[in-house]
Amino acid sequence: MPPSGLNGRLMSIAGRWSCVGDLRAGRLSARRPVRQSQRMVILLSAFGIVLLGAFAQAVSGFGYALVTVPLLAAAVDPRAAVVVSALTGIGLTVTAAIRERAHARWQVAAALTATALLGLPAGLLVLALAPERLLSALIAVVVLGCAALVWSRARIRTGRIGLGAIGVLVGVLTAATGTNGPPLVAAFQSLGYDPRTFRATLAATFSGTSLMGLTGFLLAGQIHADVVRISLVALPAVPLGWWLGNRLFHRIDPVVFRRIVLFGLLGSAGAALASMAG
């Protein structure tokens, strides 16, 4: 065999066993049968993570992205985690907003969504340009920040300027990390909303920012076949998780749940940091 033919043969063999289809980078490839079992683990893990996130969202009104993004980032790359969380969570937030519309403060939700649009471009730049480890670190910091807010019951100024600044920050976080709940949790705690109003107004705000974020991801080319495939497999977990969580919404003790939320947030932040270290 001529040298060129030998080289071509060796390159072909090497290509079959290369890391082109590396799942950790979010590149699921059907050309590599040896990776089929790993692909199944990724898809099953995504289903379980989305189930857990939907459960947390139903019980507390927030927590879907805070649970799903860090845990998904440990299985696929952080950018794919942000987009998969957004794709699977949009139906959940819109449905919750419609069902709880009578309890939502729509003026507040609309104002926050409008100002979030100002922060969206900056968030898209961070998502596109930040190194994966830095993105994982940002996700972990946001989740830990939310844990601190829940623990301290922090209150912030909620006048027009305060809500406007929160809205811009929400826009940045929507696109950059997908975890835009922490500033909203602090704002609604400061406004003194009861649990039903709290959950409903969060759902209304998340609906607007999620639609806005998905549009940004589409225009920025962040939605591709791999994230769509993972999202479609995980999507059935959303109504199941919501149904389970909604059954506990009126029954669970607030003190016990607050502790569960804190441990869950710390665990998901740890997963993001582990992903960064790996």
Side-chain angles (χ1 to χ4, degrees):
M1 181 180 293
S4 59
L6 178 60
N7 289 340
R9 180 65 174 169
L10 291 174
M11 290 176 64
S12 175
I13 294 172
R16 291 171 56 189
W17 298 97
S18 69
C19 296
V20 172
D22 187 3
L23 296 179
R24 182 61 184 81
R27 303 182 182 91
L28 303 176
S29 174
R31 294 177 298 172
R32 298 186 62 212
V34 72
R35 294 288 187 179
Q36 184 64 32
S37 61
Q38 289 177 294
R39 185 183 302 118
M40 288 302 299
V41 169
I42 291 291
L43 295 177
L44 289 174
S45 297
F47 185 93
I49 291 166
V50 167
L51 178 70
L52 184 61
F55 178 85
Q57 182 85 7
V59 175
S60 66
F62 71 99
Y64 182 79
L66 290 167
V67 170
T68 57
V69 173
L71 295 179
L72 286 169
V76 297
D77 69 277
R79 290 181 180 83
V82 171
V83 180
V84 168
S85 179
L87 285 171
T88 54
I90 182 64
L92 176 65
T93 54
V94 170
T95 302
I98 293 172
R99 292 182 62 179
E100 302 285 328
R101 62 187 180 278
H103 303 278
R105 301 292 174 86
W106 287 98
Q107 255 187 332
V108 172
L112 287 166
T113 302
T115 51
L117 186 59
L118 300 175
L120 190 70
L124 288 171
L125 282 175
V126 173
L127 182 70
L129 302 178
E132 287 188 9
R133 290 192 176 187
L134 176 58
L135 200 56
S136 293
L138 287 174
I139 292 169
V141 167
V142 172
V143 176
L144 287 171
C146 188
L149 289 173
V150 173
W151 177 265
S152 64
R153 300 181 188 271
R155 294 181 179 272
I156 57 178
R157 293 185 178 181
T158 50
R160 287 187 179 181
I161 295 177
L163 284 178
I166 290 168
V168 173
L169 178 58
V170 166
V172 174
L173 293 176
T174 295
T177 66
T179 51
N180 57 5
L184 294 176
V185 170
F188 295 164
Q189 281 183 165
S190 300
L191 289 168
Y193 289 165
D194 62 86
R196 195 72 182 267
T197 302
F198 185 92
R199 187 173 79 160
T201 309
L202 276 174
T205 308
F206 285 151
S207 295
T209 57
S210 296
L211 289 169
M212 190 172 61
L214 283 176
T215 303
F217 294 148
L218 186 62
L219 293 175
Q222 295 291 341
I223 298 179
H224 49 80
D226 293 340
V227 297
V228 171
R229 186 180 301 115
I230 297 172
S231 300
L232 288 175
V233 171
L235 197 58
V238 173
L240 177 58
W242 177 268
W243 178 77
L244 291 171
N246 202 43
R247 289 176 66 88
L248 288 179
F249 179 61
H250 297 291
R251 302 179 186 179
I252 193 166
D253 181 80
V255 175
V256 173
F257 178 72
R258 182 164 167 265
R259 292 173 182 170
I260 293 172
V261 169
L262 286 169
F263 281 116
L265 291 174
L266 291 173
S268 58
L273 290 173
S275 172
M276 179 184 67

